[in-house]
Amino acid sequence: MSGLKIKNNLRLGASYITLVLLAIAAIYPALWIIMGSVRPGKSLYSKTMFPESITFSHYKELFHSQTVLFGQWYMNTLKVATFSTILGVLLILLTSYAVSRFRFRGRQTALSVVLVLGMFPGFMSMIAIFLLLKEINLLDTHIAIILVYASGAPLGGTLIAKGFFDTIPRSLDEAARIDGASNFAIFSRIILPLSRPILTYLALLQFVGPWADFIFARLVLRSKDKWTIAVGMWDMVNSNQNSNFTLFAAGAVLIAVPITILFMFLQRLLVDGLTSGASKG
């Protein structure tokens, strides 16, 4: 019995050590960037983690520089992420509600197709999407990337949302139909109010993708005033002449602020949505 207790204590100690190491690996780079954003000069390198003096001039320079349109890029990204989230979550909910509540020919095939397509990385289709957008004159527009982001959302979220909808008793639907409710009324008045955890999870997932995406936005957006924040930040340090990494660090901190706040306030609903959606297939 004593040997088993020692073994459990060793396993528990190893778990804590692993968690501490993972926490350090995650926190250290973030803390270095935060400290770098308030460090005087242009270099991120320093002999000490904490700067001897603190300055917020880099944050001020982001919004007053003639060459860095940080405020414009920030608003562009916010617009793209917001509309992509609204449209993408709507498509996910409608698709997952249909495959969860209705039985129709080709239902299992459709679910299999969604599962298989979701396994392929999105950049495999970028050339085809680029040519399609070029033909319909949507290159260098925010509408183009909003439509693409939102259209791809069901591939990643349908099965998770379906799993959550499967946990909602069908007896609620049947009782509503007896009272004369339509399918849309059941969806909007019964299913959605009970789906707040999965809505939160899907909204955060769909918002974070466009907010941080670089590859597709760089491919489609050509005008500097239409860039998203990721493209603009890349351009800041792209050339050899621009080595203002402390300015880049200040921009990185501002990018992380909205996502951090959302995760902090919606953490419980996020975890509930993820675990509930994964409880059934």
Side-chain angles (χ1 to χ4, degrees):
M1 190 67 180
S2 177
L4 180 61
K5 185 176 181 180
I6 293 175
K7 186 177 180 180
N8 290 335
N9 289 335
L10 290 175
R11 186 183 294 111
L12 183 62
S15 300
Y16 279 120
I17 292 174
T18 302
L19 290 175
V20 170
L21 292 176
L22 291 175
I24 292 174
I27 295 174
Y28 181 80
L31 185 60
W32 186 272
I33 292 296
I34 294 174
M35 293 297 101
S37 68
V38 295
R39 180 179 290 117
K42 295 184 177 182
S43 175
L44 282 180
Y45 174 77
S46 177
K47 296 181 179 179
T48 59
M49 166 70 74
F50 300 95
E52 297 179 357
S53 60
I54 292 178
T55 177
F56 293 97
S57 59
H58 305 306
Y59 291 94
K60 183 179 180 180
E61 184 180 353
L62 283 174
F63 295 96
H64 292 85
S65 174
Q66 298 296 326
T67 58
V68 178
L69 307 178
F70 188 84
Q72 182 66 45
W73 299 337
Y74 206 92
M75 295 307 298
N76 290 343
T77 310
L78 183 62
K79 178 178 69 174
V80 169
T82 300
F83 284 103
S84 299
T85 300
I86 295 173
L87 185 57
V89 170
L90 180 61
L91 292 176
I92 293 174
L93 292 177
L94 293 176
T95 305
S96 56
Y97 177 74
V99 296
S100 173
R101 285 306 199 254
F102 302 112
R103 298 295 181 267
F104 50 88
R105 181 178 298 180
R107 174 177 172 273
Q108 290 298 331
T109 302
L111 288 174
S112 299
V113 170
V114 170
L115 178 63
V116 172
L117 290 178
M119 295 179 180
F120 292 94
F123 61 80
M124 291 182 62
S125 61
M126 282 190 177
I127 300 301
I129 294 176
F130 176 83
L131 295 176
L132 179 61
L133 294 176
K134 183 179 180 181
E135 289 298 321
I136 59 179
N137 296 321
L138 282 181
L139 281 181
D140 200 23
T141 64
H142 293 151
I143 295 177
I145 56 178
I146 290 173
L147 291 177
V148 173
Y149 288 145
S151 300
L155 296 179
T158 295
L159 295 179
I160 295 177
K162 174 191 174 296
F164 185 90
F165 288 153
D166 287 344
T167 64
I168 300 177
R170 293 180 179 272
S171 58
L172 298 176
D173 300 31
E174 297 170 357
R177 285 195 177 91
I178 293 175
D179 292 335
S182 62
N183 289 325
F184 181 77
I186 295 173
F187 175 73
S188 60
R189 298 182 182 181
I190 297 177
I191 301 299
L192 288 185
L194 296 174
S195 304
R196 189 168 57 177
I198 196 65
L199 279 172
T200 303
Y201 169 75
L202 293 175
L204 282 175
L205 189 68
Q206 187 62 19
F207 185 87
V208 171
W211 185 266
D213 179 61
F214 165 77
I215 299 177
F216 185 69
R218 181 71 180 89
L219 180 69
V220 174
L221 301 177
R222 303 306 177 88
S223 302
K224 188 172 184 178
D225 61 328
K226 294 182 179 179
W227 284 350
T228 59
I229 195 69
V231 180
M233 293 285 288
W234 168 81
D235 184 72
M236 285 172 55
V237 293
N238 179 41
S239 62
N240 294 330
Q241 289 78 20
N242 192 347
S243 58
N244 195 344
F245 291 104
T246 49
L247 185 67
F248 182 90
V253 172
L254 292 180
I255 293 174
V257 167
I259 304 299
T260 304
I261 293 176
L262 287 175
F263 271 90
M264 288 176 59
F265 283 96
L266 302 176
Q267 182 180 13
R268 182 181 61 82
L269 291 175
L270 177 65
V271 175
D272 290 344
L274 179 60
T275 54
S276 298
S279 62
K280 289 188 179 182

